[in-house]
Amino acid sequence: MNELKLAKLIKIRNIETFGKGSLSFFEVGNDICFDVKRIYYIYQVPEGVTRGGHAHRNLEQLLICPHGSIEILLNNGEVFESVLLDNPSVGLIVRNMVWRDMVWRECDSVLMVAASNEFDEKDYVRDYKSFVKELDERNLQEMK
Ligand code: T46
């Protein structure tokens, strides 16, 4: 299922409650390997709007689009990838130090996010040049 370098696509389990729609779920431990400390969702975004424009220093997240169509653009300064989330049975795990933009391809699309930590503005890198610099510094540290 996954051909991505910067993120991982996972199957979200779903159960058809016959004649009564569908129910989808994921479990920490069985479906995702990080603890979930926070869930948030983004909605009422007009079509064509781009959100994001940042990376996280430590946070890991599972992104799901339960309704509609949202394009997720990822990059690490070298690799650029795009994923269209338009299926509630698919989740995208985005790890730390990956720059992300989210483009609302349909109005009324909903982005639901399960995050590995509480909200912390200090965890955000919102300036692209600083992001690339921090990545380079981390790579240098790893090579030592
Ligand atoms: C991410 C993408 C996928 C809070 O106070 N608590 C929260 O839990 C969140 C997520 C945000 N905020 C505040 C921070 C900003 O003042 O809400 C405001 C809007 O957040 P932001 O502009 O960062 O929203 P997006 O849609 O650009 O990014 C969000 C998440 O913030 C981010 O972690 O990875 O969704």
Side-chain angles (χ1 to χ4, degrees):
M1 181 172 208
N2 197 62
E3 290 167 14
L4 298 167
K5 292 197 168 82
L6 302 177
K8 186 180 176 197
L9 286 166
I10 63 165
K11 170 109 189 73
I12 302 294
R13 289 184 271 167
N14 70 294
I15 296 171
E16 281 195 31
T17 44
F18 197 67
K20 296 200 266 180
S22 297
L23 183 156
S24 295
F25 68 97
F26 62 90
E27 293 172 347
V28 172
N30 288 326
D31 300 296
I32 58 172
C33 59
F34 57 84
D35 280 340
V36 174
K37 299 269 180 63
R38 174 170 52 112
I39 290 174
Y40 61 90
Y41 35 93
I42 304 170
Y43 52 99
Q44 294 178 343
V45 179
E47 184 178 340
V49 164
T50 301
R51 299 182 61 111
H54 55 254
H56 282 283
R57 293 190 167 89
N58 295 303
L59 195 72
E60 298 184 281
Q61 302 194 106
L62 171 65
L63 279 56
I64 299 172
C65 177
H67 179 76
S69 171
I70 301 170
E71 187 176 5
I72 312 295
L73 303 167
L74 305 169
N75 85 80
N76 66 356
E78 287 179 1
V79 178
F80 291 75
E81 293 180 327
S82 157
V83 182
L84 190 66
L85 291 180
D86 59 357
N87 180 343
S89 296
V90 173
L92 183 71
I93 293 177
V94 182
R95 299 200 186 282
N96 65 324
M97 292 309 277
V98 175
W99 192 266
R100 81 280 320 263
D101 293 294
M102 304 90 74
V103 188
W104 258 249
R105 291 298 179 203
E106 276 175 32
C107 68
D108 287 342
S109 301
V110 178
L111 183 64
M112 201 197 80
V113 182
S116 65
N117 229 329
E118 291 88 0
F119 175 73
D120 177 8
E121 186 58 44
K122 291 192 292 302
D123 191 67
Y124 286 74
V125 193
R126 293 190 185 270
D127 173 68
Y128 190 74
K129 276 190 183 162
S130 309
F131 164 68
V132 174
K133 192 164 168 262
E134 277 194 37
L135 265 181
D136 286 346
E137 284 164 4
R138 284 184 187 222
N139 289 340
L140 274 175
Q141 280 298 326
E142 273 174 24
M143 283 161 65
K144 278 184 187 169

